Every structure is written in structure tokens, then in C-alpha cells.
Amino acid sequence: MFKNFVNKLFGDHAFTNQLAKNRLQMVLIQDRSGLSSQEMDKFRNDLMKVIAIYFETNQANLDIQWERKDGSTALIINTPVMVRRKQIQAVAANQK
Amino acid sequence: MTAKVFVITSGKGGVGKTTTAANLGAALAVRNKKVLVIDADIGLRNLDVIMGLENRIVFNLVDAIKGVCKPQQAVIKSKKSNNLFLLPASQTDDKNVVTPEEMKELVNKYKAEYNFILIDCPAGIEQGFRNACAAADEAIVVTTPEVSAVRDADRVIGLLAASSLETRMMINRVDRDMVRRGDMLSPQDVIEILGIEQIGMIFRDNDVVISANAGDLVVYNTKSKAGKAFLQIADRICGMDVPIEDLDIGTSLWAKLGKKLRAA
Ligand SMILES: Nc1ncnc2c1ncn2[C@@H]1O[C@H](COP(=O)(O)OP(=O)(O)O)[C@@H](O)[C@H]1O
Ligand SMILES: [Mg+2]
């Protein structure tokens, strides 16, 4: 309903610059990391497993970026604040 | 006098390196700097026709390197300015006849006579690119605001960073109306994604093509938007603080509101 109204008002213009930006960001993650998108998925899953040893991760949502700044590239991983596990050792053992 | 040496490069071809080398060179010359532009695109020479000097070539860069002529003999003065000079590429040789060391040695021989030396780099990241970068103090990476060109620019920025060349972006063929409508990446978008400083932007301007047809340079057309923008970049290179227009500020409120509501 609301979407229809918005489209009537503004035209159903797609704002292709946003599309371009998103696609660029995706492809640059591949280029900068050297990982294919399958390998990136695996990297993400492996990271989640490690994080799960220390934190409750029922809604963990990793945002992974390779950011270029002043000539060097930084791997930046963003995630919402998580609650630590009560028994880190025990969980670590269970993971095996 | 010791020239500051810039390499004008890009990942993707056809984004405006040669146009930039010629016009930025002319703009610096207008600002009373003595400038040498070098065509490092051996085998595919272009700068001579862009500067309208194709009929004046006697010797070229490869001749100067191989000792066929003295370095000074290979240099041609431009028609319109006593401050602007061209070292043409050879059209018959292969890129691999020159090594990065030879290139560096040759450029060093010119340094004492000029304020600025601009090297027009061939497309790609192979031998020709390495030759062109070898002698440079700083790099200007040219891109258009398109996914493919920005992606290739990122690759080149990575390579330049590895060889610790100070690097700035020039964004070419920007269409203000398309940016405002949300149909083109803005220069700010490109800079944010690439994470490096911007030296300027040039609008898409038919006068660039019209000047090129005549072997003239758009910098000399005082009415042209692109010409003015090249002069501004020259001023920035000379250390003046000339602000870069922020197209995102100009984006219509209507388009911004539409985008917000749609995202909601
Ligand atoms: N700002 C601009 N506006 C319009 N056309 C442009 C602009 N910059 C470059 N061009 C055109 O784009 C084409 C490619 O430019 P060129 O400088 O030869 O690119 P490169 O050296 O990177 O291959 C040329 O036809 C040129 O006239
Ligand atoms: Mg060229």
C-alpha cells in the first residue's frame, strides 16, 4: 500500500547508483581479499564458529569488509554486541 | 628547478588518461609552469594527435633512450604555449624495448628543465604500466563513475600502494544530472569506496571531443566546463586550496526523500 503510494509520488525509479555501489562493494571484497564468493561464505561460517566459542550467537550477523585506507588494506568485521558465554572452555570442548 | 613527476594512469582503458595528461599539462603551462608531457604508450601513440603535434615529430622516446638522438632533440614545443612540451612515443616499437630503469634514467635527464613532468600511461598493469610508473613521484588515477572502471582503478591503487607512490583520484566524465537523478555514482561515492583522496572531477563535456577533433585542447576553450575543471586541478597541484564541488549536496530533495521512503 505505502510502497504503491511512494511509487505513484516519485515514479518507480530504481536509483541505479545504489545498485552500482552495492555491486562494486561486493566485487571489491573479492578482489581485495582474493577469496571467491564460495570461499568467502566458508570464511564467514568459520568465523561464526570461532565467535560462537566465546559468545551467544543466535542472531550473529557479520558484516565483513576489506577497507582501503592510506595505502593499506584493513579487514574489518562488524557485528552487533553479543553476550559472553558463561562457560567458554566447556563450549569450546563441545564444538569439537 | 627539479620537476615533480606525475604518472597519469587507470586500470581500464578509454577513461581519459591521455585527455588528462594533455589538458592538465596545458593547464599547468597556463599557470606559468614549464611542463613536459611524455607519451609512454609505446606502439599506440596518441598524445601527439590530441595535442595537434603529429606533423612535427622527428625523434621519439625510444630514440632518446637508445641514444639515436639527444634527449632534448626528441622534445617538441606545443603550438599555443612556450611552456608546454611533448615527448612523443614511438609508434613502431614494442612496449618491451624499454625497461623501467631506462625510463627512469631518461626522465631524470629532463628534470632540471621543467617544473612538472606528466607521464601518460598505457592501459593495463603490465610492462608499459611499470615503465610509466618507474620514474614517477606521484600518481593520478583516472576513472569514470562506472562499476567496471572503478573496480579496475582499485586494482591499480593496490599496485601503486605496494610501490609506495602517493596516489590521488581524478573522476572523469561525471554527468551532474545523472548523479542528481540517482543514475550515476557520485565522485563522493567513488572516493568513499576506493578510500583515497580526490584531486578533482571533470564533467562529461562535448567540448572535449570537439577540441580533440581539431587537435586543440579544451583548456583553451574558456567557456568549457571541462577546461575550467582542468585549470582547477592545476591550481590544486600548485598548492592552492580550491574546493571540489560536492554533487551530493546538489541532489534534489525530492530524489533524496523518494530514496528514504523506498528504503523504509
Ligand atoms: N570529460 C570528458 N567528456 C567527454 N568526453 C571525454 C571526456 N574525457 C575523455 N573523453 C573522450 O573519451 C575518449 C577516451 O579518452 P582518452 O583520453 O583517449 O582515454 P585513455 O587515454 O584513458 O584511453 C576520447 O574520445 C575522449 O575524447
Ligand atoms: Mg591513452
Side-chain angles (χ1 to χ4, degrees):
Chain A
M1 244 290 280
F2 180 66
K3 275 256 146 66
N4 279 346
F5 174 69
V6 170
N7 281 345
K8 276 230 172 77
L9 208 58
F10 295 93
D12 53 3
H13 190 102
F15 295 105
T16 54
N17 63 346
Q18 205 49 51
L19 259 174
K21 211 170 166 179
N22 296 343
R23 291 180 60 224
L24 246 174
Q25 263 151 354
M26 295 309 288
V27 80
L28 287 185
I29 288 174
Q30 285 181 30
D31 288 359
R32 290 170 182 174
S33 68
L35 299 180
S36 70
S37 64
Q38 288 86 341
E39 287 166 328
M40 184 55 68
D41 286 345
K42 187 166 181 310
F43 178 54
R44 182 189 303 273
N45 283 334
D46 288 348
L47 275 177
M48 302 268 256
K49 278 183 205 152
V50 173
I51 291 171
I53 297 174
Y54 299 88
F55 300 98
E56 310 271 359
T57 56
N58 26 8
Q59 22 76 293
N61 183 10
L62 295 188
D63 171 34
I64 301 177
Q65 300 275 350
W66 261 260
E67 233 177 68
R68 187 103 71 202
K69 217 170 184 188
D70 306 326
S72 63
T73 309
L75 165 60
I76 297 175
I77 297 166
N78 249 308
T79 171
V81 173
M82 293 175 290
V83 181
R84 65 157 287 165
R85 287 198 189 275
K86 288 218 173 65
Q87 298 214 298
I88 289 171
Q89 289 304 327
V91 178
N94 283 348
Q95 290 278 315
K96 292 223 167 152
Chain B
M1 195 149 49
T2 304
K4 191 161 201 181
V5 184
F6 286 87
V7 60
I8 317 291
T9 183
S10 72
K12 194 169 179 289
V15 295
K17 289 178 294 296
T18 301
T19 304
T20 301
N23 282 287
L24 193 52
L28 286 162
V30 167
R31 295 298 190 241
N32 280 321
K33 304 294 178 188
K34 199 172 169 203
V35 185
L36 174 66
V37 286
I38 300 180
D39 191 344
D41 205 343
I42 298 169
L44 291 169
R45 100 176 155 210
N46 268 174
L47 208 42
D48 55 335
V49 282
I50 292 296
M51 295 173 76
L53 297 172
E54 66 271 22
N55 294 326
R56 302 193 180 183
I57 297 177
V58 183
F59 296 112
N60 59 53
L61 180 150
V62 176
D63 294 330
I65 285 181
K66 302 299 176 194
V68 176
C69 66
K70 293 200 184 107
Q72 289 79 358
Q73 288 178 299
V75 168
I76 309 162
K77 193 182 80 63
S78 79
K79 289 181 197 158
K80 284 216 175 147
S81 166
N82 293 328
N83 279 332
L84 181 61
F85 297 82
L86 167 71
L87 174 60
S90 147
Q91 179 70 334
T92 49
D93 290 293
D94 184 90
K95 286 180 179 36
N96 302 326
V97 302
V98 172
T99 67
E101 291 70 34
E102 286 175 320
M103 188 73 181
K104 201 170 171 177
E105 213 175 295
L106 178 68
V107 171
N108 281 339
K109 287 182 189 155
Y110 293 116
K111 271 191 177 176
E113 288 168 61
Y114 298 91
N115 298 110
F116 291 100
I117 297 178
L118 308 182
I119 303 175
D120 182 23
C121 182
I125 49 176
E126 293 87 29
Q127 174 91 22
F129 168 76
R130 285 196 299 275
N131 282 344
C133 293
D137 303 313
E138 283 189 38
I140 295 176
V141 176
V142 182
T143 185
T144 56
E146 290 160 293
V147 176
S148 54
V150 176
R151 185 221 190 146
D152 291 353
D154 188 74
R155 182 81 204 287
V156 164
I157 290 166
L159 293 173
L160 293 169
S163 57
S164 51
L165 266 189
E166 193 190 313
T167 303
R168 285 180 283 185
M169 287 309 297
M170 201 203 86
I171 310 183
N172 189 26
R173 273 197 249 141
V174 178
D175 185 314
R176 189 197 261 114
D177 293 333
M178 287 187 78
V179 171
R180 293 208 169 144
R181 262 185 273 133
D183 273 330
M184 185 180 269
L185 291 167
S186 71
Q188 283 72 23
D189 288 334
V190 175
I191 289 309
E192 184 193 316
I193 288 169
L194 293 176
I196 89 175
E197 203 188 315
Q198 182 184 187
I199 196 159
M201 68 159 152
I202 310 286
F203 287 115
R204 179 152 70 196
D205 184 344
N206 290 341
D207 285 335
V208 172
V209 179
I210 293 168
S211 296
N213 286 338
D216 199 357
L217 294 173
V218 78
V219 160
Y220 300 126
N221 177 349
T222 49
K223 290 194 193 107
S224 128
K225 276 191 284 183
K228 282 182 203 153
F230 278 117
L231 284 167
Q232 288 189 346
I233 295 177
D235 287 337
R236 278 183 210 115
I237 286 177
C238 294
M240 281 171 65
D241 184 18
V242 186
I244 297 173
E245 186 182 349
D246 184 345
L247 291 189
D248 290 344
I249 288 175
T251 305
S252 74
L253 269 179
W254 193 250
K256 274 188 191 154
L257 189 61
K259 198 158 141 187
K260 278 241 167 68
L261 289 176
R262 221 179 296 262

